[in-house]
Amino acid sequence: YPRAVVPGQGVAHDMKLTFKRGRVVKVEAKKGKDYLKKFLAQQSEDADRIAEFGIGLNDKAVFTGGEIIIDEKILGSIHLAIGWNKGYGGKTNASSHLDFIKDLRNCNGKVYADNKLMIDRGKLIAR
């Protein structure tokens, strides 16, 4: 993820999160890696668990640089959140919810599900 605002810590840049069994197990970043590690250490046990994965489909939404509710819906983007999701049908009652947004249009971004290509550089692949 190119940039993530980590509450109470700062901005992390060029992040890569590695998950195992739905939990963050490794954090890499060019700048601010310790921000996310410190943030997670201050939260409840399930703050590192995948809470949601979303695909942006709104062709009218434009990047605001901070209004997550808009930014996560931009056509060609994806977002992943960790932590709390109980309020919309999930099972995780963590003390935080943290979103990460990635625009796949300007990179070689791809999303696979069940080994099938679903999104290629921000475009949905019809099946």
Side-chain angles (χ1 to χ4, degrees):
Y1 294 91
R3 186 184 73 174
V5 177
V6 182
Q9 302 299 320
V11 179
H13 297 273
D14 297 319
M15 295 182 68
K16 179 180 179 183
L17 305 176
T18 303
F19 293 87
K20 185 173 183 178
R21 294 191 176 131
R23 291 188 183 272
V24 176
V25 294
K26 185 176 180 182
V27 176
E28 298 173 68
K30 286 189 178 176
K31 181 180 176 189
K33 173 175 73 172
D34 292 335
Y35 294 158
L36 183 57
K37 288 183 173 186
K38 185 175 179 182
F39 174 80
L40 290 174
Q42 295 170 341
Q43 305 305 312
S44 65
E45 180 181 351
D46 287 333
D48 64 348
R49 185 175 292 283
I50 294 174
E52 65 178 306
F53 176 80
I55 299 168
L57 298 173
N58 188 331
D59 65 347
K60 302 291 188 234
V62 294
F63 185 66
T64 68
E67 295 294 327
I68 300 294
I69 197 75
I70 295 170
D71 293 347
E72 69 184 14
K73 293 168 179 62
I74 297 170
L75 181 67
S77 71
I78 59 166
H79 75 277
L80 175 88
I82 56 174
W84 180 89
N85 66 4
K86 202 156 187 152
Y88 47 90
K91 297 178 182 177
T92 305
N93 196 25
S95 57
S96 62
H97 179 92
L98 187 55
D99 287 281
F100 301 92
I101 299 169
K102 175 73 174 167
D103 187 341
L104 299 178
R105 296 172 293 181
N106 299 320
C107 65
N108 196 24
K110 299 178 188 308
V111 174
Y112 291 85
D114 295 329
N115 294 318
K116 294 179 184 173
L117 182 63
M118 304 303 287
I119 301 173
D120 186 5
R121 293 179 212 124
K123 294 186 182 201
L124 293 173
I125 305 299
R127 295 284 170 171

